[in-house]
Amino acid sequence: RGLPFQSFPGTVAMTQIIKELKAAHDGCDRAEKYGISEQVVQRVRGSGGRFLTRCNTTHRWTQVSDHQARERVAMGFRNLTRRRKAKKMKAGADSDSNDGGG
């Protein structure tokens, strides 16, 4: 979680998979979304990727459970939706300010 981790190669790869499956994910019910999130976890792990967390006391990285990994993927889908909505709103606001013609 956080800005420095967004550029990690594994995070970039996971985000790319999420982008590929976003349209299918958006058109699903909750149970199907769960399955798509599990697919992303399996694709990441199948390619040698891991889902890690850093221990606050030892500062060592450890792998998270499948459940925690799926939750992270689900958050990735939600964040992508939020970023796209924010981008649309900003583009709309920018075009509105350009229409002032003053």
Side-chain angles (χ1 to χ4, degrees), residues 32-67:
E32 292 169 319
K33 287 181 180 188
Y34 185 96
I36 290 173
S37 293
E38 284 184 329
Q39 286 178 20
V40 175
V41 170
Q42 295 309 314
R43 282 179 61 179
V44 169
R45 289 200 166 145
S47 67
R50 298 175 294 167
F51 291 85
L52 303 172
T53 190
R54 193 174 208 170
C55 178
N56 289 333
T57 55
T58 65
H59 301 288
R60 291 182 178 223
W61 292 96
T62 58
Q63 288 195 60
V64 300
S65 67
D66 285 346
H67 175 76

